[in-house]
Amino acid sequence: MSAGPAEAVDLGPLPGFMFYALRRAQLAVAQDIQRHFAADDIRPVQFAVLVVLHRNPGLRATRVALALGVKRTNFVPLFDGLVARGLVERRPVPDDRRAAALYLTEEGAGMLGRLERLVAQHEARFAARLGLEGRYQLMGLLHRLTESAFDSG
Amino acid sequence: MSAGPAEAVDLGPLPGFMFYALRRAQLAVAQDIQRHFAADDIRPVQFAVLVVLHRNPGLRATRVALALGVKRTNFVPLFDGLVARGLVERRPVPDDRRAAALYLTEEGAGMLGRLERLVAQHEARFAARLGLEGRYQLMGLLHRLTESAFDSG
DNA sequence: TATTGTTATACTCTATAACTATA
DNA sequence: TATAGTTATAGAGTATAACAATA
């Protein structure tokens, strides 16, 4: 430790920019959820894959990747990691011998159940900071920001 | 193109989780600002360095890195890139021959001015989606989320 | 020809360990 | 001993090009 905090760094307009505040909030929330997932060695995107396969059993790799905003090419090693841990599996598709249908295993379903409880704890922790109405407002505002990215240039 | 959108993928509870909505919104905003910065070949974190040095001329590397949430070790190549482009410079510190004082160059100040106008355009675009009150609410809510990460537990 | 899945590859971001020269 | 800056390195995240098997 040094003697003190010295003078605070002046961040100027940065904290008032949405891109900066969003990045800081997203990092804070992501780090918290990663702490919750650490014991199970799962990352948020892997959790998302388990959720999607639970809701859409037999989905193809390309569609899972697209839905989650992951490139098909990067989805391969991500999914391989889950296969190696016995959480998911590829099954042949009778109609199309190029493709594979993706499924949760029983073990994967069990893991998903545990992770969902961890996420619920994590969400509750942050939601408590905002209140019911604050959380509702936040989701609406974030949704509007996300939509705006796909509008006219 | 295939025949149609097939069936929509069911994302289940994902869109209702704050971590997921925050990630999507942050990506949308970051991609927009990166488009604005593309012609100048500047990334958001480089812009942040220019802002901080403009507000705190002569600051040391360690303090800039800490203020922006960048590891000291990763700050070196980041700053080197800006030096190579003549936007910033290191000057010796008389009291401490280990250290360097960091400054914007004139060219860096000019670049900062241009970038600030681009950021203003970007912010206005997204702020228009939320309205004045919506933007104010968003900043408050994000601030509360960011604070919560540093609390007990 | 187009599509599914895949390999190879590269660049950025992030993180840890350890070095140097000073203090 | 501790600190400022740096080097080396490794792991994720993200991107493009191109291939084999199949449609």
Side-chain angles (χ1 to χ4, degrees):
Chain A
M1 300 292 179
S2 66
E7 292 172 40
V9 173
D10 180 5
L11 295 177
L14 287 178
F17 291 140
M18 285 181 287
F19 86 88
Y20 187 85
L22 266 172
R23 180 183 131 89
R24 288 209 53 181
Q26 196 266 328
L27 279 177
V29 169
Q31 281 168 10
D32 183 82
I33 204 168
Q34 280 163 27
R35 272 196 298 275
H36 280 76
F37 282 174
D40 288 292
D41 194 22
I42 288 280
R43 274 157 296 147
V45 66
Q46 295 176 309
F47 167 71
V49 171
L50 298 182
V51 168
V52 167
L53 291 188
H54 185 249
R55 291 276 175 156
N56 310 267
L59 210 60
R60 315 277 203 77
T62 297
R63 303 202 48 218
V64 178
L66 181 68
L68 296 179
V70 178
K71 301 266 173 201
R72 278 173 313 168
T73 183
N74 295 326
F75 184 76
V76 178
L78 167 61
F79 195 78
D80 284 345
L82 295 173
V83 171
R85 293 171 63 180
L87 301 178
V88 296
E89 60 183 357
R90 294 176 170 96
R91 295 188 205 159
V93 174
D95 309 3
D96 187 339
R97 281 167 41 192
R98 294 171 304 182
L102 308 185
Y103 291 91
L104 275 189
T105 62
E106 262 192 44
E107 196 178 345
M111 172 69 86
L112 178 58
R114 283 197 300 282
L115 297 175
E116 279 173 334
R117 284 191 289 278
L118 294 176
V119 169
Q121 290 171 17
H122 153 87
E123 286 282 321
R125 209 173 102 98
F126 280 90
R129 303 293 169 146
L130 308 182
L132 261 182
E133 190 184 356
R135 186 181 187 286
Y136 181 79
Q137 284 178 351
L138 176 68
M139 297 303 290
L141 291 164
L142 292 178
H143 186 60
R144 276 196 267 169
L145 286 182
T146 304
E147 277 180 331
S148 73
F150 302 115
D151 288 352
S152 61
Chain B
M1 298 294 177
S2 65
E7 292 173 39
V9 173
D10 179 6
L11 294 178
L14 286 178
F17 291 139
M18 286 180 287
F19 88 88
Y20 187 86
L22 266 173
R23 181 183 130 88
R24 289 209 53 181
Q26 195 266 325
L27 279 177
V29 169
Q31 280 167 10
D32 183 82
I33 204 167
Q34 281 162 28
R35 272 195 299 273
H36 280 76
F37 282 175
D40 287 293
D41 194 23
I42 288 280
R43 275 157 297 150
V45 66
Q46 295 176 310
F47 167 72
V49 170
L50 299 182
V51 168
V52 166
L53 291 187
H54 185 249
R55 291 277 174 155
N56 311 265
L59 210 60
R60 315 277 203 75
T62 297
R63 300 201 50 215
V64 177
L66 182 68
L68 296 179
V70 178
K71 301 266 174 200
R72 277 174 312 169
T73 184
N74 295 327
F75 184 76
V76 178
L78 166 61
F79 196 78
D80 283 346
L82 295 172
V83 170
R85 294 172 61 181
L87 302 178
V88 298
E89 61 184 357
R90 296 176 170 97
R91 296 186 204 160
V93 174
D95 309 3
D96 187 340
R97 283 167 41 192
R98 294 170 305 181
L102 308 185
Y103 291 90
L104 275 190
T105 62
E106 262 192 44
E107 196 178 346
M111 172 69 86
L112 178 57
R114 284 197 299 282
L115 296 175
E116 279 173 335
R117 284 190 290 278
L118 294 176
V119 169
Q121 289 170 18
H122 153 88
E123 286 281 322
R125 209 172 102 99
F126 281 91
R129 303 293 169 148
L130 307 182
L132 261 183
E133 192 184 354
R135 185 181 187 284
Y136 181 79
Q137 284 178 351
L138 177 69
M139 297 303 290
L141 291 163
L142 293 177
H143 186 61
R144 278 197 263 168
L145 285 181
T146 304
E147 278 181 328
S148 74
F150 302 116
D151 287 352
S152 63

